[in-house]
Amino acid sequence: MADLFSAEWMQGFAKEWNAEPELADALAKIHFNSAIAYGFVDDPNPMGVLIVQEGRVVSAGSYEGQNLNWDLRADRDHWQQWKTKGLNMMGLGMAYMSRKLQFRVGDYTAMIQDPRMAKPFIKSFSVIGRV
């Protein structure tokens, strides 16, 4: 099993992302384009990054200085918990308010207020669990 957010893991995440209609198709409908990074709170830089165009991941791998629209961070234990159990809207709010999930880049408030983005974002946590 590849390490969480390694290049190999991110490629598996990309495959699962693109296979999930509630994520890829939903984001395609709103013409979602973004560079989304994932990593750990204690690291200066994120580990992995997805490049999303029209809702689908077109590139996945290690973070190498790409300009980011989103940079999501948590400690290893919380990522593992969300990987196993997923995350719902209430859990997301609690994780954000308690700083267990940090948005180093990106506007959490704008995202969470737009159901067209919030629902796929929540879905991404169940997709993480498939990798």
Side-chain angles (χ1 to χ4, degrees):
M1 176 185 229
D3 288 335
L4 191 62
F5 307 134
S6 68
E8 180 184 352
W9 190 93
M10 294 302 291
Q11 290 164 6
F13 185 25
K15 182 178 178 182
E16 295 295 335
W17 175 298
N18 288 340
E20 176 52 62
E22 290 181 52
L23 187 51
D25 293 350
L27 291 174
K29 288 177 184 173
I30 62 169
H31 307 288
F32 182 81
N33 301 305
S34 254
I36 308 168
Y38 298 83
F40 302 105
V41 292
D42 294 334
D43 294 340
N45 294 311
M47 289 191 60
V49 66
L50 299 177
I51 306 300
V52 179
Q53 293 180 355
E54 295 293 318
R56 303 227 179 285
V57 177
V58 296
S59 176
S62 297
Y63 174 74
E64 296 174 352
Q66 297 94 330
N67 288 329
L68 301 173
N69 302 99
W70 302 93
D71 181 356
L72 308 175
R73 307 290 187 94
D75 65 30
R76 206 170 278 278
D77 289 342
H78 285 104
W79 279 124
Q80 199 58 46
Q81 177 185 340
W82 300 326
K83 187 176 185 307
T84 303
K85 296 181 180 177
L87 193 62
N88 61 24
M89 194 65 86
M90 183 180 290
L92 173 61
M94 297 291 288
Y96 177 73
M97 295 301 288
S98 66
R99 301 217 12 100
K100 292 175 182 170
L101 178 61
Q102 299 176 17
F103 287 69
R104 300 271 173 95
V105 176
D107 187 346
Y108 170 81
T109 304
M111 180 272 299
I112 208 68
Q113 291 176 346
D114 184 347
R116 300 171 310 155
M117 288 181 64
K119 288 179 182 178
F121 182 75
I122 294 293
K123 189 65 175 180
S124 72
F125 283 86
S126 66
V127 172
I128 285 172
R130 297 180 199 163
V131 182

